[in-house]
Amino acid sequence: MGDLWYATIADSLIRSRSGGLIAALTFSTVAAGVVQICLPLELRQLHASPNQIGLTLAMFGFGMFAFEWLWGILADRFGYGGPLVVSQLLYAACIVLLAKADSVLPIAISYLLASGMFVAAGPVARSYLGTSLHSRLRATGLALVSAQWVIAEAIGAGAGGQLIDHFPIRGVLYVSAVLPALTALLALWVFRGHSHSRHRAGSAGDDAARIEESRAGGGVLRVLLITASMALLIMLGAGGELALLPLLVTNHLHLSAASAGTAMLVVGVVGGLLMVPGGYVADRWGRKQAMIAGGVISAAGFVVYAIAGTFAEVLIGAATRALGSALIWPAAIAWVSDSIPRRRHAFFMGIFGEFENVGVTIGPVLGGLAWSLAGIQSAFYVYAAAALLAAVVAATTVDKRAAAPVAA
C-alpha cells in the first residue's frame, strides 16, 4: 500500500508545475554541458598551461559562488518565475561573449559571468520543489531535478564533443546560446498564474514545525555546516571531474574529443538515471546511510580513474562515480531542505549551493596543482580522499534522526 501511495504522488510530481520546471531547465543545462566540453579543448588549442587551465575552468565554480546567494534572495523577494527568466536570458548573452573571447583572460571572465547567470536555476528549482513537495517525496523530487542537471549536461557534453570534431568550437558555442533563451520562454509558461504570496501564505504552519524540529537537532546553522562540509568535499571531485576528465582522455590516453565527450556522457547519463533511485533510497531508508555509502563509492570511482589505462576502464570509473554521487547528493540536499524555514528557503538553499560552488572552484585548481606536481592521475587520488572524508563527516556528525526513514 505504501509503494502504491508513493507511486501515485510520484506521478503527480511529473505532471505538476514542478515537473514543468524541471523540463524547462533541460535546455539551459544542455548548453552548460556543451560549454564544459568546449572550454578545456579551446584552452588546449590556445596552448594554455595546466595551471592556467585549472584556474580558468575554476571560474565556473567561482561565478556560481559569486551569484547563487543573490538569486536566492531575489527568489524569496520576487518569486520564482521572474528571476529565472531574467537569469536565463543573461546566460544566453554570456555564452555569446564566451564564443567571442579569443584569449585566456577574456575566456575566464566570460565563463565566470555565464556560470553566475546559469546558477539561478539552483536556488529557484530546489526551493520551489523543497517547499511544494510532500516530505515522503522531497528527496526523490530534488533527486529528479539533480538528475535533469546531470543527464542534460552529459547530453550537452556528448553532443558538443561530436560537433567539435566537425565544426569550429566558436560556432558550437554560438548555437548553444539559443538553449537558455528557450528555457526562459518555457519558464514564463510554467509560472503563469503562480502567486508567490499565496505560496508563502500557506507555509506558516509548516514553518513552525520546521523551526521546532531544527532546534531539536541543534539548529539550522548546524545542519547547514554539516551538509555544507559534505557538499564542499564532494564537489571538489565533481568539479575536478568536469574539468579534468576530458583532458585525462585526450592528453593521457591520447584519444579524440569525441571520446572525451562520450566519457562525460556516461558520467552524466548513468548518474542521472541513478539519481532518482538514489533519492528514493534516501526517502525510504534514511538520509545518513545514503550519504555514507555515496561517499565511499565515489572514492572508489576516482581511484579507478587514476589507475585507468584504457577507455573501458575510464567508463567503469565513470559509472562507479555516478553511483556514489546518486546516493550522497539527494540525501544531503533533502536533509537541509527538511530543516530550513520556508520563508527564507531559497536564500538558505542558495547558501548551501555556495558551498557546492566553493568545491567546484577549488576542485580544478587543486587538480591542476596536483597534475603539475605528479601527473594528471594524482588529481583523482586527491578527489578520492575528499570523497572518503565526506563519508566520515556523514558517519560522525549527522544525527540519528536522519538515519531513519521518513514516516508516511
Side-chain angles (χ1 to χ4, degrees), residues 58-310:
M59 292 301 104
F60 181 73
F62 186 72
M64 293 192 294
F65 177 79
F67 287 93
E68 186 163 1
W69 67 275
L70 177 60
W71 291 117
I73 290 175
L74 292 174
D76 281 331
R77 176 65 179 85
F78 299 106
Y80 300 111
L84 182 60
V85 170
V86 171
S87 70
Q88 297 311 297
L89 292 175
L90 291 173
Y91 179 37
C94 289
I95 294 177
V96 172
L97 289 177
L98 190 59
K100 291 180 177 292
D102 56 3
S103 63
V104 173
L105 182 59
I107 287 173
I109 294 171
S110 300
Y111 199 29
L112 183 151
L113 294 173
S115 66
M117 301 307 105
F118 168 69
V119 78
V124 168
R126 286 174 174 171
S127 180
Y128 183 76
L129 269 66
T131 55
S132 302
L133 297 177
H134 190 282
S135 62
R136 280 290 300 274
L137 192 60
R138 193 167 293 138
T140 304
L142 291 166
L144 184 59
V145 73
S146 295
Q148 174 277 133
W149 282 324
V150 172
I151 292 177
E153 277 190 8
I155 291 172
Q162 296 293 332
L163 291 170
I164 291 168
D165 278 347
H166 299 90
F167 301 99
I169 290 176
R170 290 187 184 183
V172 175
L173 287 171
Y174 280 127
V175 172
S176 69
V178 175
L179 298 174
L182 290 176
T183 291
L185 291 175
L186 289 171
L188 285 172
W189 176 76
V190 167
F191 284 106
R192 75 188 193 283
H194 176 261
S195 171
H196 189 59
S197 59
R198 286 200 301 269
H199 185 81
R200 293 184 63 179
S203 66
D206 184 54
D207 246 6
R210 286 176 183 230
I211 291 170
E212 185 62 31
E213 183 177 349
S214 175
R215 286 173 178 167
V220 171
L221 180 60
R222 176 180 176 274
V223 173
L224 281 172
L225 287 175
I226 293 170
T227 52
S229 299
M230 288 186 290
L232 190 154
L233 291 166
I234 287 297
M235 292 310 290
L236 277 176
E241 182 180 43
L242 287 173
L244 298 186
L245 182 56
L247 298 172
L248 179 72
V249 173
T250 55
N251 282 17
H252 181 61
L253 298 181
H254 307 292
L255 298 175
S256 66
S259 297
T262 299
M264 299 291 284
L265 181 66
V266 170
V267 170
V269 170
V270 175
L273 291 175
L274 293 174
M275 194 71 73
V276 175
Y280 178 82
V281 169
D283 276 332
R284 297 303 299 272
W285 302 107
R287 319 294 200 214
K288 181 174 183 175
Q289 291 91 330
M291 289 185 242
I292 295 170
V296 172
I297 294 171
S298 289
F302 284 126
V303 171
V304 174
Y305 278 146
I307 64 177
T310 67

Side-chain angles (χ1 to χ4, degrees), residues 364-391:
V365 176
L366 196 60
L369 178 61
W371 177 10
S372 65
L373 293 174
I376 194 169
Q377 300 101 313
S378 64
F380 293 95
Y381 284 120
V382 171
Y383 301 147
L388 282 177
L389 186 54

